[in-house]
Amino acid sequence: MNLKGSLTQVLISCGGCTYLKTTGIIKELQPSIEEDEDNFIYCNYIFNGIETERKRVADKVYNLKAVKKITH
């Protein structure tokens, strides 16, 4: 993994643990698309990764009996 990939994973992990603080810092530092399109896109990629990680962690596993109860 390269440095950019490692930084991406660290930011996503931090966002999973300290969501408001991490996303606040990224929003504060994110340039406008006109200023730096590549960096703007990278920040959005981080935001998407953080949201995906939060959903993954919060996802619940149900057994078949519980699923039948929910659907009926």
Side-chain angles (χ1 to χ4, degrees):
M1 184 177 287
N2 61 23
L3 182 59
K4 183 178 179 183
S6 297
L7 176 60
T8 301
Q9 288 305 314
V10 166
L11 289 169
I12 291 171
S13 294
C14 288
C17 298
T18 56
Y19 177 78
L20 292 176
K21 192 169 194 171
T22 304
T23 56
I25 291 169
I26 295 170
K27 286 177 186 175
E28 183 180 315
L29 297 174
Q30 184 180 27
S32 69
I33 195 167
E34 292 83 16
E35 290 175 307
D36 187 345
E37 184 177 1
D38 289 341
N39 196 0
F40 179 85
I41 291 169
Y42 178 70
C43 289
N44 283 340
Y45 178 79
I46 299 298
F47 288 133
N48 288 334
I50 290 170
E51 291 301 323
T52 300
E53 180 64 13
R54 284 171 48 106
K55 290 175 185 172
R56 186 193 67 76
V57 169
D59 199 15
K60 295 181 180 179
V61 177
Y62 293 100
N63 62 31
L64 185 57
K65 186 177 180 179
V67 172
K68 286 181 180 180
K69 186 176 180 180
I70 293 170
T71 59
H72 288 103

Short mmCIF file of all heavy atoms in Angstrom, two decimals:
data_model
loop_
_atom_site.label_atom_id
_atom_site.label_comp_id
_atom_site.label_asym_id
_atom_site.label_seq_id
_atom_site.Cartn_x
_atom_site.Cartn_y
_atom_site.Cartn_z
N MET A 1 0.85 -1.17 0.00
CA MET A 1 0.00 0.00 0.00
C MET A 1 0.90 1.24 0.00
O MET A 1 1.88 1.31 0.71
CB MET A 1 -0.92 -0.02 1.23
CG MET A 1 -1.90 1.11 1.27
SD MET A 1 -3.05 1.08 2.66
CE MET A 1 -4.10 -0.26 2.18
N ASN A 2 0.53 2.22 -0.78
CA ASN A 2 1.32 3.45 -0.85
C ASN A 2 0.90 4.44 0.24
O ASN A 2 -0.04 4.19 1.00
CB ASN A 2 1.21 4.08 -2.24
CG ASN A 2 -0.22 4.45 -2.59
OD1 ASN A 2 -1.06 4.64 -1.72
ND2 ASN A 2 -0.49 4.57 -3.87
N LEU A 3 1.60 5.55 0.31
CA LEU A 3 1.33 6.54 1.35
C LEU A 3 -0.09 7.10 1.25
O LEU A 3 -0.78 7.24 2.26
CB LEU A 3 2.35 7.67 1.27
CG LEU A 3 2.23 8.77 2.33
CD1 LEU A 3 2.36 8.17 3.73
CD2 LEU A 3 3.30 9.82 2.10
N LYS A 4 -0.56 7.37 0.03
CA LYS A 4 -1.92 7.90 -0.15
C LYS A 4 -2.96 6.89 0.32
O LYS A 4 -3.92 7.25 1.00
CB LYS A 4 -2.16 8.26 -1.61
CG LYS A 4 -3.51 8.88 -1.86
CD LYS A 4 -3.68 9.25 -3.32
CE LYS A 4 -5.05 9.85 -3.59
NZ LYS A 4 -5.23 10.14 -5.00
N GLY A 5 -2.76 5.62 0.01
CA GLY A 5 -3.68 4.58 0.45
C GLY A 5 -3.69 4.44 1.96
O GLY A 5 -4.75 4.26 2.58
N SER A 6 -2.51 4.54 2.56
CA SER A 6 -2.42 4.45 4.02
C SER A 6 -3.11 5.64 4.69
O SER A 6 -3.84 5.48 5.66
CB SER A 6 -0.96 4.42 4.46
OG SER A 6 -0.32 3.26 3.96
N LEU A 7 -2.90 6.83 4.14
CA LEU A 7 -3.55 8.02 4.68
C LEU A 7 -5.07 7.92 4.54
O LEU A 7 -5.80 8.26 5.48
CB LEU A 7 -3.04 9.27 3.95
CG LEU A 7 -3.68 10.59 4.35
CD1 LEU A 7 -3.45 10.88 5.83
CD2 LEU A 7 -3.15 11.73 3.49
N THR A 8 -5.51 7.42 3.43
CA THR A 8 -6.95 7.23 3.21
C THR A 8 -7.53 6.31 4.27
O THR A 8 -8.56 6.63 4.88
CB THR A 8 -7.21 6.65 1.81
OG1 THR A 8 -6.67 7.54 0.83
CG2 THR A 8 -8.68 6.44 1.55
N GLN A 9 -6.89 5.18 4.53
CA GLN A 9 -7.38 4.23 5.52
C GLN A 9 -7.38 4.81 6.92
O GLN A 9 -8.30 4.58 7.70
CB GLN A 9 -6.57 2.93 5.47
CG GLN A 9 -6.84 2.11 4.24
CD GLN A 9 -8.32 1.80 4.07
OE1 GLN A 9 -9.00 1.41 5.01
NE2 GLN A 9 -8.83 1.98 2.87
N VAL A 10 -6.35 5.59 7.25
CA VAL A 10 -6.28 6.22 8.57
C VAL A 10 -7.42 7.21 8.74
O VAL A 10 -8.10 7.23 9.78
CB VAL A 10 -4.91 6.92 8.78
CG1 VAL A 10 -4.94 7.85 9.97
CG2 VAL A 10 -3.82 5.89 8.93
N LEU A 11 -7.68 8.03 7.74
CA LEU A 11 -8.75 9.02 7.83
C LEU A 11 -10.12 8.34 7.95
O LEU A 11 -10.97 8.77 8.73
CB LEU A 11 -8.73 9.95 6.62
CG LEU A 11 -7.56 10.94 6.59
CD1 LEU A 11 -7.48 11.62 5.23
CD2 LEU A 11 -7.70 11.96 7.70
N ILE A 12 -10.32 7.27 7.20
CA ILE A 12 -11.59 6.53 7.28
C ILE A 12 -11.74 5.90 8.66
O ILE A 12 -12.82 5.96 9.26
CB ILE A 12 -11.69 5.50 6.15
CG1 ILE A 12 -11.85 6.23 4.80
CG2 ILE A 12 -12.84 4.53 6.38
CD1 ILE A 12 -11.74 5.33 3.58
N SER A 13 -10.68 5.32 9.18
CA SER A 13 -10.73 4.73 10.52
C SER A 13 -11.01 5.77 11.59
O SER A 13 -11.83 5.56 12.49
CB SER A 13 -9.42 4.01 10.84
OG SER A 13 -9.24 2.91 9.99
N CYS A 14 -10.35 6.91 11.49
CA CYS A 14 -10.59 8.00 12.45
C CYS A 14 -12.03 8.48 12.35
O CYS A 14 -12.66 8.76 13.36
CB CYS A 14 -9.63 9.16 12.20
SG CYS A 14 -7.94 8.83 12.68
N GLY A 15 -12.53 8.57 11.14
CA GLY A 15 -13.91 8.99 10.94
C GLY A 15 -14.91 8.03 11.54
O GLY A 15 -15.98 8.43 11.99
N GLY A 16 -14.56 6.77 11.57
CA GLY A 16 -15.43 5.78 12.20
C GLY A 16 -15.48 5.93 13.70
O GLY A 16 -16.50 5.68 14.33
N CYS A 17 -14.37 6.36 14.30
CA CYS A 17 -14.29 6.49 15.76
C CYS A 17 -14.71 7.89 16.24
O CYS A 17 -15.36 8.02 17.27
CB CYS A 17 -12.87 6.21 16.23
SG CYS A 17 -12.30 4.56 15.87
N THR A 18 -14.27 8.89 15.53
CA THR A 18 -14.55 10.28 15.91
C THR A 18 -15.13 11.01 14.70
O THR A 18 -14.49 11.87 14.11
CB THR A 18 -13.28 10.99 16.41
OG1 THR A 18 -12.28 10.90 15.39
CG2 THR A 18 -12.77 10.38 17.69
N TYR A 19 -16.35 10.65 14.36
CA TYR A 19 -17.00 11.12 13.14
C TYR A 19 -17.02 12.64 13.01
O TYR A 19 -16.54 13.20 12.03
CB TYR A 19 -18.42 10.55 13.06
CG TYR A 19 -19.20 11.02 11.87
CD1 TYR A 19 -18.97 10.46 10.63
CD2 TYR A 19 -20.15 12.02 11.99
CE1 TYR A 19 -19.69 10.89 9.52
CE2 TYR A 19 -20.87 12.45 10.89
CZ TYR A 19 -20.63 11.88 9.67
OH TYR A 19 -21.33 12.31 8.56
N LEU A 20 -17.59 13.31 13.99
CA LEU A 20 -17.78 14.77 13.89
C LEU A 20 -16.45 15.51 13.81
O LEU A 20 -16.29 16.45 13.02
CB LEU A 20 -18.62 15.29 15.05
CG LEU A 20 -20.07 14.84 15.06
CD1 LEU A 20 -20.79 15.35 16.30
CD2 LEU A 20 -20.79 15.31 13.80
N LYS A 21 -15.51 15.10 14.62
CA LYS A 21 -14.20 15.76 14.64
C LYS A 21 -13.47 15.56 13.31
O LYS A 21 -12.95 16.51 12.72
CB LYS A 21 -13.37 15.25 15.80
CG LYS A 21 -12.13 16.05 16.07
CD LYS A 21 -11.51 15.64 17.38
CE LYS A 21 -10.49 16.67 17.80
NZ LYS A 21 -10.01 16.45 19.15
N THR A 22 -13.44 14.32 12.83
CA THR A 22 -12.72 14.01 11.60
C THR A 22 -13.36 14.68 10.40
O THR A 22 -12.68 15.33 9.60
CB THR A 22 -12.67 12.48 11.37
OG1 THR A 22 -12.08 11.86 12.51
CG2 THR A 22 -11.86 12.14 10.13
N THR A 23 -14.67 14.55 10.26
CA THR A 23 -15.33 15.17 9.10
C THR A 23 -15.26 16.69 9.19
O THR A 23 -15.15 17.36 8.16
CB THR A 23 -16.80 14.70 8.97
OG1 THR A 23 -17.50 14.97 10.18
CG2 THR A 23 -16.87 13.23 8.62
N GLY A 24 -15.29 17.24 10.40
CA GLY A 24 -15.16 18.68 10.56
C GLY A 24 -13.82 19.20 10.07
O GLY A 24 -13.74 20.22 9.38
N ILE A 25 -12.77 18.48 10.42
CA ILE A 25 -11.42 18.87 9.98
C ILE A 25 -11.31 18.78 8.47
O ILE A 25 -10.78 19.68 7.81
CB ILE A 25 -10.35 18.00 10.67
CG1 ILE A 25 -10.29 18.34 12.16
CG2 ILE A 25 -8.98 18.19 10.02
CD1 ILE A 25 -9.47 17.36 12.98
N ILE A 26 -11.82 17.69 7.89
CA ILE A 26 -11.74 17.53 6.44
C ILE A 26 -12.54 18.62 5.73
O ILE A 26 -12.08 19.21 4.75
CB ILE A 26 -12.20 16.12 6.01
CG1 ILE A 26 -11.24 15.06 6.57
CG2 ILE A 26 -12.27 16.02 4.49
CD1 ILE A 26 -11.74 13.64 6.42
N LYS A 27 -13.74 18.92 6.23
CA LYS A 27 -14.56 19.98 5.63
C LYS A 27 -13.85 21.33 5.71
O LYS A 27 -13.92 22.13 4.77
CB LYS A 27 -15.92 20.06 6.32
CG LYS A 27 -16.85 18.94 5.95
CD LYS A 27 -18.16 19.04 6.72
CE LYS A 27 -19.03 17.83 6.44
NZ LYS A 27 -20.25 17.82 7.26
N GLU A 28 -13.19 21.57 6.82
CA GLU A 28 -12.48 22.84 7.01
C GLU A 28 -11.32 22.98 6.02
O GLU A 28 -11.04 24.06 5.51
CB GLU A 28 -11.96 22.90 8.44
CG GLU A 28 -11.27 24.19 8.80
CD GLU A 28 -10.80 24.18 10.24
OE1 GLU A 28 -11.57 23.76 11.12
OE2 GLU A 28 -9.65 24.60 10.47
N LEU A 29 -10.64 21.88 5.77
CA LEU A 29 -9.46 21.91 4.91
C LEU A 29 -9.78 21.67 3.42
O LEU A 29 -8.94 21.97 2.57
CB LEU A 29 -8.45 20.86 5.38
CG LEU A 29 -7.87 21.09 6.78
CD1 LEU A 29 -7.00 19.90 7.17
CD2 LEU A 29 -7.10 22.39 6.84
N GLN A 30 -10.95 21.15 3.13
CA GLN A 30 -11.30 20.83 1.74
C GLN A 30 -11.39 22.10 0.90
O GLN A 30 -12.14 23.02 1.23
CB GLN A 30 -12.63 20.08 1.68
CG GLN A 30 -13.00 19.64 0.28
CD GLN A 30 -14.33 18.89 0.23
OE1 GLN A 30 -15.19 19.10 1.07
NE2 GLN A 30 -14.48 18.02 -0.73
N PRO A 31 -10.64 22.14 -0.19
CA PRO A 31 -10.72 23.32 -1.06
C PRO A 31 -12.00 23.25 -1.90
O PRO A 31 -12.65 22.22 -1.97
CB PRO A 31 -9.49 23.17 -1.96
CG PRO A 31 -9.30 21.69 -2.06
CD PRO A 31 -9.70 21.16 -0.70
N SER A 32 -12.32 24.35 -2.53
CA SER A 32 -13.45 24.32 -3.47
C SER A 32 -13.00 23.56 -4.71
O SER A 32 -11.79 23.40 -4.96
CB SER A 32 -13.88 25.74 -3.85
OG SER A 32 -12.88 26.36 -4.64
N ILE A 33 -13.95 23.13 -5.48
CA ILE A 33 -13.62 22.37 -6.70
C ILE A 33 -12.84 23.26 -7.68
O ILE A 33 -11.99 22.77 -8.42
CB ILE A 33 -14.87 21.75 -7.33
CG1 ILE A 33 -14.48 20.68 -8.35
CG2 ILE A 33 -15.78 22.82 -7.94
CD1 ILE A 33 -15.62 19.80 -8.79
N GLU A 34 -13.12 24.55 -7.65
CA GLU A 34 -12.41 25.48 -8.54
C GLU A 34 -10.95 25.66 -8.13
O GLU A 34 -10.07 25.86 -8.97
CB GLU A 34 -13.10 26.86 -8.55
CG GLU A 34 -14.47 26.87 -9.18
CD GLU A 34 -15.58 26.42 -8.25
OE1 GLU A 34 -15.37 26.38 -7.00
OE2 GLU A 34 -16.66 26.08 -8.74
N GLU A 35 -10.69 25.60 -6.81
CA GLU A 35 -9.31 25.78 -6.31
C GLU A 35 -8.42 24.59 -6.62
O GLU A 35 -7.28 24.75 -7.04
CB GLU A 35 -9.32 25.98 -4.80
CG GLU A 35 -9.90 27.29 -4.33
CD GLU A 35 -9.97 27.35 -2.81
OE1 GLU A 35 -10.53 26.42 -2.20
OE2 GLU A 35 -9.45 28.33 -2.26
N ASP A 36 -8.95 23.39 -6.35
CA ASP A 36 -8.13 22.18 -6.48
C ASP A 36 -9.07 20.98 -6.67
O ASP A 36 -9.49 20.35 -5.69
CB ASP A 36 -7.27 22.01 -5.23
CG ASP A 36 -6.28 20.86 -5.34
OD1 ASP A 36 -6.42 20.01 -6.24
OD2 ASP A 36 -5.35 20.81 -4.50
N GLU A 37 -9.37 20.69 -7.90
CA GLU A 37 -10.35 19.64 -8.20
C GLU A 37 -9.93 18.28 -7.68
O GLU A 37 -10.76 17.54 -7.11
CB GLU A 37 -10.61 19.57 -9.71
CG GLU A 37 -11.67 18.58 -10.09
CD GLU A 37 -11.99 18.56 -11.57
OE1 GLU A 37 -11.37 19.31 -12.34
OE2 GLU A 37 -12.86 17.76 -11.96
N ASP A 38 -8.66 17.93 -7.84
CA ASP A 38 -8.20 16.61 -7.38
C ASP A 38 -8.35 16.45 -5.87
O ASP A 38 -8.80 15.42 -5.38
CB ASP A 38 -6.73 16.39 -7.78
CG ASP A 38 -6.56 16.17 -9.27
OD1 ASP A 38 -7.55 15.83 -9.96
OD2 ASP A 38 -5.43 16.35 -9.77
N ASN A 39 -7.97 17.47 -5.12
CA ASN A 39 -8.07 17.42 -3.66
C ASN A 39 -9.54 17.42 -3.23
O ASN A 39 -9.91 16.73 -2.28
CB ASN A 39 -7.31 18.59 -3.03
CG ASN A 39 -7.06 18.39 -1.56
OD1 ASN A 39 -7.42 17.38 -0.96
ND2 ASN A 39 -6.42 19.36 -0.95
N PHE A 40 -10.37 18.18 -3.92
CA PHE A 40 -11.81 18.20 -3.63
C PHE A 40 -12.40 16.80 -3.80
O PHE A 40 -13.13 16.30 -2.93
CB PHE A 40 -12.51 19.19 -4.56
CG PHE A 40 -13.99 19.27 -4.37
CD1 PHE A 40 -14.53 20.10 -3.41
CD2 PHE A 40 -14.85 18.52 -5.16
CE1 PHE A 40 -15.91 20.17 -3.22
CE2 PHE A 40 -16.22 18.59 -4.98
CZ PHE A 40 -16.75 19.41 -4.01
N ILE A 41 -12.05 16.14 -4.89
CA ILE A 41 -12.55 14.79 -5.17
C ILE A 41 -12.00 13.81 -4.13
O ILE A 41 -12.74 12.93 -3.65
CB ILE A 41 -12.16 14.36 -6.60
CG1 ILE A 41 -12.95 15.19 -7.61
CG2 ILE A 41 -12.39 12.87 -6.83
CD1 ILE A 41 -12.48 15.05 -9.05
N TYR A 42 -10.75 13.95 -3.75
CA TYR A 42 -10.15 13.07 -2.74
C TYR A 42 -10.88 13.21 -1.41
O TYR A 42 -11.19 12.21 -0.75
CB TYR A 42 -8.66 13.38 -2.58
CG TYR A 42 -7.99 12.54 -1.52
CD1 TYR A 42 -7.78 11.18 -1.72
CD2 TYR A 42 -7.58 13.10 -0.31
CE1 TYR A 42 -7.18 10.40 -0.75
CE2 TYR A 42 -6.99 12.33 0.66
CZ TYR A 42 -6.78 10.98 0.43
OH TYR A 42 -6.19 10.21 1.40
N CYS A 43 -11.19 14.43 -1.00
CA CYS A 43 -11.92 14.65 0.26
C CYS A 43 -13.30 14.00 0.19
O CYS A 43 -13.75 13.38 1.16
CB CYS A 43 -12.03 16.14 0.55
SG CYS A 43 -10.46 16.91 1.04
N ASN A 44 -13.98 14.12 -0.93
CA ASN A 44 -15.28 13.47 -1.08
C ASN A 44 -15.16 11.96 -1.01
O ASN A 44 -16.03 11.28 -0.47
CB ASN A 44 -15.96 13.90 -2.37
CG ASN A 44 -16.56 15.28 -2.27
OD1 ASN A 44 -16.81 15.77 -1.18
ND2 ASN A 44 -16.78 15.91 -3.40
N TYR A 45 -14.07 11.43 -1.55
CA TYR A 45 -13.81 9.99 -1.47
C TYR A 45 -13.67 9.56 -0.01
O TYR A 45 -14.20 8.53 0.40
CB TYR A 45 -12.54 9.66 -2.27
CG TYR A 45 -12.16 8.21 -2.23
CD1 TYR A 45 -12.82 7.28 -3.04
CD2 TYR A 45 -11.15 7.76 -1.40
CE1 TYR A 45 -12.47 5.94 -3.00
CE2 TYR A 45 -10.79 6.42 -1.35
CZ TYR A 45 -11.45 5.53 -2.16
OH TYR A 45 -11.12 4.20 -2.12
N ILE A 46 -12.98 10.38 0.78
CA ILE A 46 -12.82 10.10 2.21
C ILE A 46 -14.17 10.13 2.91
O ILE A 46 -14.50 9.25 3.71
CB ILE A 46 -11.85 11.10 2.88
CG1 ILE A 46 -10.46 11.04 2.26
CG2 ILE A 46 -11.79 10.88 4.38
CD1 ILE A 46 -9.76 9.71 2.40
N PHE A 47 -14.98 11.15 2.62
CA PHE A 47 -16.32 11.23 3.22
C PHE A 47 -17.14 9.98 2.90
O PHE A 47 -17.80 9.42 3.77
CB PHE A 47 -17.08 12.47 2.72
CG PHE A 47 -16.57 13.76 3.28
CD1 PHE A 47 -16.34 14.84 2.44
CD2 PHE A 47 -16.33 13.93 4.63
CE1 PHE A 47 -15.89 16.05 2.93
CE2 PHE A 47 -15.87 15.14 5.14
CZ PHE A 47 -15.65 16.20 4.28
N ASN A 48 -17.10 9.55 1.65
CA ASN A 48 -17.84 8.34 1.26
C ASN A 48 -17.31 7.11 1.99
O ASN A 48 -18.09 6.25 2.42
CB ASN A 48 -17.77 8.12 -0.25
CG ASN A 48 -18.59 9.12 -1.02
OD1 ASN A 48 -19.56 9.67 -0.51
ND2 ASN A 48 -18.20 9.36 -2.26
N GLY A 49 -16.00 7.02 2.13
CA GLY A 49 -15.40 5.90 2.87
C GLY A 49 -15.81 5.89 4.32
O GLY A 49 -16.10 4.82 4.89
N ILE A 50 -15.88 7.05 4.94
CA ILE A 50 -16.29 7.15 6.34
C ILE A 50 -17.74 6.71 6.48
O ILE A 50 -18.08 5.95 7.39
CB ILE A 50 -16.09 8.59 6.87
CG1 ILE A 50 -14.59 8.89 7.00
CG2 ILE A 50 -16.80 8.78 8.21
CD1 ILE A 50 -14.26 10.35 7.30
N GLU A 51 -18.60 7.16 5.59
CA GLU A 51 -20.02 6.78 5.65
C GLU A 51 -20.20 5.27 5.45
O GLU A 51 -20.98 4.63 6.15
CB GLU A 51 -20.84 7.55 4.62
CG GLU A 51 -20.96 9.02 4.91
CD GLU A 51 -21.61 9.31 6.26
OE1 GLU A 51 -22.53 8.58 6.67
OE2 GLU A 51 -21.18 10.28 6.91
N THR A 52 -19.46 4.71 4.52
CA THR A 52 -19.52 3.27 4.27
C THR A 52 -19.07 2.49 5.50
O THR A 52 -19.70 1.51 5.90
CB THR A 52 -18.66 2.89 3.05
OG1 THR A 52 -19.16 3.59 1.91
CG2 THR A 52 -18.68 1.40 2.79
N GLU A 53 -17.99 2.94 6.13
CA GLU A 53 -17.47 2.27 7.33
C GLU A 53 -18.48 2.36 8.47
O GLU A 53 -18.70 1.39 9.19
CB GLU A 53 -16.14 2.90 7.74
CG GLU A 53 -15.52 2.30 8.98
CD GLU A 53 -15.12 0.84 8.84
OE1 GLU A 53 -15.09 0.31 7.72
OE2 GLU A 53 -14.83 0.21 9.88
N ARG A 54 -19.11 3.51 8.65
CA ARG A 54 -20.11 3.66 9.71
C ARG A 54 -21.28 2.71 9.49
O ARG A 54 -21.78 2.10 10.43
CB ARG A 54 -20.62 5.10 9.76
CG ARG A 54 -19.65 6.05 10.41
CD ARG A 54 -20.07 7.51 10.27
NE ARG A 54 -21.44 7.79 10.59
CZ ARG A 54 -21.87 8.39 11.70
NH1 ARG A 54 -21.00 8.78 12.60
NH2 ARG A 54 -23.14 8.63 11.90
N LYS A 55 -21.71 2.56 8.26
CA LYS A 55 -22.81 1.64 7.95
C LYS A 55 -22.39 0.19 8.17
O LYS A 55 -23.16 -0.61 8.65
CB LYS A 55 -23.30 1.85 6.52
CG LYS A 55 -24.03 3.17 6.32
CD LYS A 55 -24.37 3.40 4.88
CE LYS A 55 -24.98 4.78 4.70
NZ LYS A 55 -25.15 5.13 3.29
N ARG A 56 -21.15 -0.12 7.79
CA ARG A 56 -20.65 -1.49 7.95
C ARG A 56 -20.61 -1.87 9.43
O ARG A 56 -21.03 -2.96 9.82
CB ARG A 56 -19.27 -1.63 7.33
CG ARG A 56 -18.73 -3.06 7.34
CD ARG A 56 -17.27 -3.11 7.00
NE ARG A 56 -16.43 -2.51 8.02
CZ ARG A 56 -16.11 -3.08 9.19
NH1 ARG A 56 -16.60 -4.25 9.51
NH2 ARG A 56 -15.32 -2.45 10.05
N VAL A 57 -20.11 -0.97 10.25
CA VAL A 57 -19.99 -1.24 11.68
C VAL A 57 -21.36 -1.35 12.34
O VAL A 57 -21.56 -2.17 13.23
CB VAL A 57 -19.13 -0.14 12.37
CG1 VAL A 57 -19.20 -0.24 13.88
CG2 VAL A 57 -17.70 -0.22 11.88
N ALA A 58 -22.31 -0.55 11.90
CA ALA A 58 -23.64 -0.53 12.51
C ALA A 58 -24.54 -1.64 11.99
O ALA A 58 -25.61 -1.88 12.55
CB ALA A 58 -24.30 0.82 12.25
N ASP A 59 -24.13 -2.32 10.93
CA ASP A 59 -24.96 -3.36 10.33
C ASP A 59 -25.16 -4.52 11.31
O ASP A 59 -24.21 -4.99 11.92
CB ASP A 59 -24.29 -3.87 9.05
CG ASP A 59 -25.24 -4.58 8.13
OD1 ASP A 59 -26.46 -4.46 8.32
OD2 ASP A 59 -24.76 -5.26 7.21
N LYS A 60 -26.39 -4.96 11.44
CA LYS A 60 -26.70 -6.06 12.36
C LYS A 60 -26.90 -7.35 11.57
O LYS A 60 -27.42 -7.34 10.46
CB LYS A 60 -27.98 -5.76 13.14
CG LYS A 60 -27.85 -4.59 14.06
CD LYS A 60 -29.13 -4.37 14.83
CE LYS A 60 -28.99 -3.19 15.77
NZ LYS A 60 -30.22 -2.93 16.52
N VAL A 61 -26.52 -8.43 12.19
CA VAL A 61 -26.72 -9.75 11.61
C VAL A 61 -27.92 -10.39 12.32
O VAL A 61 -27.97 -10.44 13.54
CB VAL A 61 -25.47 -10.63 11.78
CG1 VAL A 61 -25.71 -12.02 11.24
CG2 VAL A 61 -24.27 -9.97 11.12
N TYR A 62 -28.87 -10.84 11.53
CA TYR A 62 -30.05 -11.49 12.08
C TYR A 62 -30.03 -12.97 11.72
O TYR A 62 -29.60 -13.35 10.63
CB TYR A 62 -31.33 -10.87 11.49
CG TYR A 62 -31.56 -9.45 11.91
CD1 TYR A 62 -31.24 -8.39 11.08
CD2 TYR A 62 -32.11 -9.16 13.15
CE1 TYR A 62 -31.45 -7.08 11.47
CE2 TYR A 62 -32.33 -7.85 13.54
CZ TYR A 62 -32.00 -6.82 12.70
OH TYR A 62 -32.22 -5.52 13.08
N ASN A 63 -30.54 -13.80 12.64
CA ASN A 63 -30.67 -15.21 12.31
C ASN A 63 -31.98 -15.40 11.55
O ASN A 63 -32.81 -14.49 11.45
CB ASN A 63 -30.59 -16.09 13.57
CG ASN A 63 -31.71 -15.79 14.56
OD1 ASN A 63 -32.81 -15.41 14.17
ND2 ASN A 63 -31.43 -15.98 15.83
N LEU A 64 -32.19 -16.57 11.00
CA LEU A 64 -33.35 -16.83 10.16
C LEU A 64 -34.67 -16.63 10.91
O LEU A 64 -35.62 -16.07 10.38
CB LEU A 64 -33.28 -18.25 9.58
CG LEU A 64 -34.37 -18.62 8.59
CD1 LEU A 64 -34.39 -17.66 7.42
CD2 LEU A 64 -34.17 -20.04 8.09
N LYS A 65 -34.71 -17.03 12.16
CA LYS A 65 -35.92 -16.87 12.96
C LYS A 65 -36.29 -15.39 13.11
O LYS A 65 -37.46 -15.02 13.00
CB LYS A 65 -35.72 -17.53 14.34
CG LYS A 65 -36.96 -17.56 15.18
CD LYS A 65 -36.70 -18.29 16.48
CE LYS A 65 -37.95 -18.34 17.35
NZ LYS A 65 -37.72 -19.06 18.60
N ALA A 66 -35.30 -14.56 13.36
CA ALA A 66 -35.55 -13.13 13.51
C ALA A 66 -36.02 -12.51 12.20
O ALA A 66 -36.90 -11.65 12.19
CB ALA A 66 -34.29 -12.42 14.01
N VAL A 67 -35.45 -12.95 11.09
CA VAL A 67 -35.85 -12.42 9.78
C VAL A 67 -37.30 -12.80 9.48
O VAL A 67 -38.09 -11.97 9.03
CB VAL A 67 -34.92 -12.96 8.65
CG1 VAL A 67 -35.46 -12.58 7.29
CG2 VAL A 67 -33.52 -12.41 8.86
N LYS A 68 -37.67 -14.04 9.79
CA LYS A 68 -39.05 -14.45 9.55
C LYS A 68 -40.02 -13.63 10.39
O LYS A 68 -41.09 -13.25 9.93
CB LYS A 68 -39.21 -15.94 9.88
CG LYS A 68 -38.60 -16.85 8.84
CD LYS A 68 -38.81 -18.31 9.20
CE LYS A 68 -38.21 -19.23 8.18
NZ LYS A 68 -38.40 -20.65 8.52
N LYS A 69 -39.61 -13.32 11.61
CA LYS A 69 -40.46 -12.52 12.50
C LYS A 69 -40.63 -11.09 11.95
O LYS A 69 -41.72 -10.53 11.99
CB LYS A 69 -39.83 -12.47 13.89
CG LYS A 69 -40.71 -11.78 14.92
CD LYS A 69 -40.06 -11.87 16.29
CE LYS A 69 -40.94 -11.17 17.33
NZ LYS A 69 -40.34 -11.23 18.65
N ILE A 70 -39.57 -10.52 11.41
CA ILE A 70 -39.63 -9.17 10.86
C ILE A 70 -40.50 -9.12 9.61
O ILE A 70 -41.28 -8.19 9.42
CB ILE A 70 -38.20 -8.66 10.53
CG1 ILE A 70 -37.40 -8.46 11.81
CG2 ILE A 70 -38.24 -7.37 9.72
CD1 ILE A 70 -35.94 -8.19 11.58
N THR A 71 -40.40 -10.14 8.76
CA THR A 71 -41.10 -10.11 7.48
C THR A 71 -42.55 -10.57 7.58
O THR A 71 -43.31 -10.41 6.63
CB THR A 71 -40.37 -10.98 6.43
OG1 THR A 71 -40.27 -12.32 6.90
CG2 THR A 71 -38.99 -10.41 6.15
N HIS A 72 -42.94 -11.12 8.69
CA HIS A 72 -44.34 -11.58 8.80
C HIS A 72 -45.11 -10.80 9.81
O HIS A 72 -44.88 -10.13 10.61
CB HIS A 72 -44.41 -13.07 9.19
CG HIS A 72 -43.98 -13.93 8.04
ND1 HIS A 72 -42.75 -14.52 7.99
CD2 HIS A 72 -44.61 -14.29 6.90
CE1 HIS A 72 -42.63 -15.22 6.88
NE2 HIS A 72 -43.75 -15.10 6.20
#
